[in-house]
Amino acid sequence: MTDKRQNSDNGDNGVLLETRQKTKKPSLYRVLMLNDDYTPMEFVVLVLQRFFGHNHEMAQQIMLHVHQRGVGVCGVYSYEVAETKAAQVMDFARQNEHPLQLQLEKE
Ligand code: TYC
Protein backbone atom coordinates (compact mmCIF):
# COMPACT_ATOMS: atom_id res chain seq x y z
CA MET A 1 0.00 0.00 0.00
CA THR A 2 1.32 3.46 -0.89
CA ASP A 3 2.19 5.70 2.10
CA LYS A 4 1.21 9.30 1.30
CA ARG A 5 1.96 10.66 4.78
CA GLN A 6 4.36 13.59 4.93
CA ASN A 7 6.04 15.92 7.43
CA SER A 8 6.33 14.67 11.02
CA ASP A 9 4.86 11.25 10.28
CA ASN A 10 6.37 9.92 7.13
CA GLY A 11 6.20 6.31 8.16
CA ASP A 12 9.97 6.10 8.40
CA ASN A 13 10.54 5.44 12.10
CA GLY A 14 11.14 8.93 13.45
CA VAL A 15 12.91 10.45 10.45
CA LEU A 16 11.37 13.91 10.00
CA LEU A 17 11.01 15.36 6.55
CA GLU A 18 10.31 19.06 6.12
CA THR A 19 8.29 19.39 2.94
CA ARG A 20 6.85 22.87 3.66
CA GLN A 21 8.27 25.43 1.27
CA LYS A 22 9.73 28.41 3.08
CA THR A 23 10.08 30.52 -0.06
CA LYS A 24 9.54 34.25 0.32
CA LYS A 25 8.05 36.35 -2.43
CA PRO A 26 10.55 39.04 -3.46
CA SER A 27 9.67 42.60 -2.52
CA LEU A 28 8.60 44.71 -5.48
CA TYR A 29 9.76 48.20 -6.32
CA ARG A 30 8.18 50.90 -8.46
CA VAL A 31 10.51 52.65 -10.87
CA LEU A 32 9.43 56.28 -10.69
CA MET A 33 10.21 58.85 -13.36
CA LEU A 34 10.55 62.49 -12.36
CA ASN A 35 9.62 65.47 -14.47
CA ASP A 36 12.16 68.11 -15.46
CA ASP A 37 12.07 71.15 -17.72
CA TYR A 38 14.70 70.01 -20.23
CA THR A 39 14.34 66.37 -21.30
CA PRO A 40 12.43 66.28 -24.61
CA MET A 41 9.03 64.57 -24.55
CA GLU A 42 10.01 62.30 -27.48
CA PHE A 43 13.07 61.13 -25.58
CA VAL A 44 10.95 60.16 -22.56
CA VAL A 45 8.52 58.28 -24.81
CA LEU A 46 11.46 56.43 -26.42
CA VAL A 47 12.81 55.44 -22.98
CA LEU A 48 9.43 54.16 -21.83
CA GLN A 49 9.18 51.98 -24.94
CA ARG A 50 12.79 50.76 -25.07
CA PHE A 51 13.49 50.10 -21.40
CA PHE A 52 10.04 49.44 -19.95
CA GLY A 53 8.34 47.69 -22.87
CA HIS A 54 5.41 50.06 -23.21
CA ASN A 55 3.77 50.57 -26.60
CA HIS A 56 3.83 54.07 -28.08
CA GLU A 57 0.35 54.98 -26.83
CA MET A 58 1.01 53.88 -23.23
CA ALA A 59 4.45 55.52 -23.28
CA GLN A 60 2.89 58.82 -24.42
CA GLN A 61 0.28 58.54 -21.67
CA ILE A 62 2.86 57.91 -18.92
CA MET A 63 5.11 60.72 -20.22
CA LEU A 64 2.20 63.19 -20.16
CA HIS A 65 1.24 62.06 -16.66
CA VAL A 66 4.80 62.74 -15.44
CA HIS A 67 4.93 66.05 -17.32
CA GLN A 68 1.67 67.22 -15.71
CA ARG A 69 1.89 65.64 -12.23
CA GLY A 70 5.65 65.66 -11.64
CA VAL A 71 6.13 61.92 -11.13
CA GLY A 72 4.85 58.65 -12.58
CA VAL A 73 5.40 54.88 -12.51
CA CYS A 74 7.39 53.32 -15.38
CA GLY A 75 6.97 49.78 -14.06
CA VAL A 76 7.19 47.48 -11.03
CA TYR A 77 10.01 44.93 -10.64
CA SER A 78 12.17 43.03 -8.19
CA TYR A 79 14.84 45.24 -6.60
CA GLU A 80 17.63 44.03 -8.90
CA VAL A 81 15.66 44.59 -12.10
CA ALA A 82 14.28 47.95 -10.92
CA GLU A 83 17.74 49.20 -9.92
CA THR A 84 19.28 48.03 -13.22
CA LYS A 85 16.60 49.66 -15.37
CA ALA A 86 16.80 52.97 -13.47
CA ALA A 87 20.60 53.02 -13.83
CA GLN A 88 20.47 52.08 -17.53
CA VAL A 89 17.95 54.82 -18.28
CA MET A 90 19.90 57.50 -16.41
CA ASP A 91 23.10 56.42 -18.21
CA PHE A 92 21.29 56.61 -21.55
CA ALA A 93 19.85 60.03 -20.65
CA ARG A 94 23.26 61.33 -19.58
CA GLN A 95 24.84 60.07 -22.81
CA ASN A 96 22.25 62.19 -24.60
CA GLU A 97 22.83 65.13 -22.23
CA HIS A 98 19.37 65.02 -20.68
CA PRO A 99 18.85 65.42 -16.91
CA LEU A 100 16.11 62.74 -16.68
CA GLN A 101 15.93 61.26 -13.16
CA LEU A 102 14.40 58.04 -11.88
CA GLN A 103 13.88 56.72 -8.36
CA LEU A 104 12.88 53.44 -6.75
CA GLU A 105 9.99 53.14 -4.33
CA LYS A 106 9.22 49.96 -2.38
CA GLU A 107 5.64 48.80 -3.04
N1 TYC B 1 8.74 68.37 -19.00
C1 TYC B 1 9.46 67.93 -20.18
C2 TYC B 1 9.27 68.93 -21.29
O1 TYC B 1 8.38 69.74 -21.22
C3 TYC B 1 9.00 66.55 -20.63
C4 TYC B 1 9.29 65.50 -19.61
C5 TYC B 1 8.32 64.55 -19.31
C6 TYC B 1 10.51 65.41 -18.99
C7 TYC B 1 8.55 63.55 -18.38
C8 TYC B 1 10.78 64.43 -18.04
O2 TYC B 1 10.05 62.49 -16.86
C9 TYC B 1 9.79 63.48 -17.76
N2 TYC B 1 10.09 68.84 -22.34
Coordinates of all heavy atoms in Angstrom, one line a residue, residues 2-4 8-13 16 19 21 25 35 44 46-48 54 78 82 86 94 98:
T2 N 0.5 2.2 -0.8 CA 1.3 3.5 -0.9 C 1.1 4.3 0.4 O 0.0 4.5 0.8 CB 0.9 4.3 -2.1 OG1 0.9 3.4 -3.2 CG2 1.8 5.4 -2.4
D3 N 2.2 4.8 0.9 CA 2.2 5.7 2.1 C 2.3 7.1 1.6 O 3.3 7.6 1.2 CB 3.3 5.3 3.0 CG 3.2 6.1 4.3 OD1 2.3 7.0 4.5 OD2 4.0 5.8 5.2
K4 N 1.2 7.9 1.8 CA 1.2 9.3 1.3 C 1.4 10.3 2.4 O 1.3 11.5 2.3 CB -0.1 9.6 0.6 CG -0.2 8.9 -0.8 CD -1.6 9.2 -1.4 CE -1.6 8.6 -2.8 NZ -3.0 8.4 -3.3
S8 N 5.8 15.3 9.8 CA 6.3 14.7 11.0 C 6.1 13.2 11.0 O 6.9 12.4 11.6 CB 5.7 15.3 12.3 OG 4.3 15.2 12.2
D9 N 5.1 12.7 10.3 CA 4.9 11.2 10.3 C 5.0 10.8 8.9 O 4.1 10.8 8.1 CB 3.5 10.9 10.8 CG 3.2 9.4 10.9 OD1 4.1 8.7 10.5 OD2 2.1 9.0 11.3
N10 N 6.2 10.4 8.5 CA 6.4 9.9 7.1 C 6.5 8.4 7.1 O 6.9 7.9 6.0 CB 7.6 10.6 6.5 CG 8.8 10.2 7.3 OD1 8.8 9.4 8.2 ND2 10.0 10.8 6.8
G11 N 6.2 7.8 8.2 CA 6.2 6.3 8.2 C 7.6 5.7 8.1 O 7.8 4.6 7.7
D12 N 8.6 6.5 8.5 CA 10.0 6.1 8.4 C 10.7 6.1 9.8 O 11.8 6.5 9.9 CB 10.7 7.0 7.4 CG 12.0 6.3 7.0 OD1 12.1 5.1 7.0 OD2 12.9 7.1 6.5
N13 N 10.0 5.7 10.8 CA 10.5 5.4 12.1 C 11.3 6.6 12.7 O 12.4 6.6 13.0 CB 11.5 4.2 12.1 CG 10.7 3.0 11.8 OD1 9.6 2.8 12.4 ND2 11.2 2.1 11.0
L16 N 12.3 12.8 10.3 CA 11.4 13.9 10.0 C 11.8 14.5 8.7 O 12.9 14.8 8.4 CB 11.5 15.0 11.1 CG 11.1 14.6 12.5 CD1 11.2 15.8 13.4 CD2 9.7 14.0 12.5
T19 N 8.7 19.2 4.3 CA 8.3 19.4 2.9 C 7.7 20.8 2.7 O 7.4 21.2 1.6 CB 7.3 18.3 2.5 OG1 6.2 18.4 3.4 CG2 7.9 16.9 2.5
Q21 N 7.4 24.6 2.0 CA 8.3 25.4 1.3 C 8.3 26.8 1.9 O 7.4 27.5 2.1 CB 7.8 25.6 -0.2 CG 7.8 24.2 -0.9 CD 7.8 24.4 -2.4 OE1 8.0 25.5 -2.9 NE2 7.6 23.3 -3.1
K25 N 8.2 35.6 -1.2 CA 8.0 36.3 -2.4 C 9.0 37.6 -2.4 O 9.1 38.2 -1.3 CB 6.6 36.8 -2.5 CG 5.6 35.7 -2.8 CD 4.2 36.3 -2.9 CE 3.2 35.3 -2.5 NZ 2.0 35.8 -1.7
N35 N 9.7 64.4 -13.4 CA 9.6 65.5 -14.5 C 10.8 66.4 -14.3 O 11.4 66.5 -13.3 CB 8.3 66.3 -14.3 CG 8.1 67.2 -15.5 OD1 8.5 66.9 -16.6 ND2 7.6 68.4 -15.2
V44 N 11.6 60.9 -23.7 CA 11.0 60.2 -22.6 C 10.1 59.0 -23.1 O 10.1 57.9 -22.6 CB 10.1 61.1 -21.7 CG1 9.3 60.4 -20.6 CG2 11.0 62.2 -21.1
L46 N 10.5 57.5 -25.9 CA 11.5 56.4 -26.4 C 11.9 55.5 -25.3 O 12.0 54.3 -25.4 CB 12.6 57.1 -27.1 CG 13.8 56.2 -27.5 CD1 13.4 55.3 -28.6 CD2 15.0 57.0 -27.9
V47 N 12.3 56.2 -24.2 CA 12.8 55.4 -23.0 C 11.7 54.5 -22.4 O 12.0 53.3 -22.1 CB 13.2 56.4 -21.9 CG1 13.2 55.8 -20.5 CG2 14.6 57.0 -22.2
L48 N 10.5 55.0 -22.4 CA 9.4 54.2 -21.8 C 9.1 53.0 -22.7 O 8.8 51.9 -22.3 CB 8.2 55.0 -21.6 CG 8.3 56.0 -20.4 CD1 7.2 57.1 -20.5 CD2 8.2 55.2 -19.1
H54 N 6.7 49.5 -22.9 CA 5.4 50.1 -23.2 C 5.2 50.3 -24.7 O 6.2 50.7 -25.4 CB 5.2 51.4 -22.5 CG 5.2 51.2 -21.0 ND1 4.2 50.4 -20.3 CD2 6.0 51.6 -20.0 CE1 4.5 50.4 -19.0 NE2 5.6 51.1 -18.8
S78 N 11.3 43.4 -9.3 CA 12.2 43.0 -8.2 C 13.2 44.1 -8.0 O 13.5 44.9 -9.0 CB 12.9 41.7 -8.5 OG 13.8 41.9 -9.5
A82 N 14.6 46.5 -11.0 CA 14.3 48.0 -10.9 C 15.5 48.8 -10.9 O 15.6 49.8 -11.6 CB 13.4 48.2 -9.7
A86 N 16.6 51.5 -13.8 CA 16.8 53.0 -13.5 C 18.2 53.4 -13.8 O 18.4 54.5 -14.4 CB 16.5 53.2 -12.0
R94 N 22.0 60.5 -19.7 CA 23.3 61.3 -19.6 C 24.1 61.3 -20.9 O 24.6 62.4 -21.3 CB 24.1 60.8 -18.4 CG 24.9 61.9 -17.7 CD 25.3 61.5 -16.3 NE 24.1 61.4 -15.4 CZ 24.2 60.9 -14.2 NH1 25.3 60.3 -13.7 NH2 23.1 60.9 -13.4
H98 N 20.7 64.7 -21.3 CA 19.4 65.0 -20.7 C 19.4 64.7 -19.2 O 20.0 63.7 -18.8 CB 18.2 64.2 -21.3 CG 18.1 64.4 -22.8 ND1 18.1 65.7 -23.4 CD2 18.0 63.5 -23.8 CE1 18.0 65.5 -24.7 NE2 17.9 64.2 -25.0

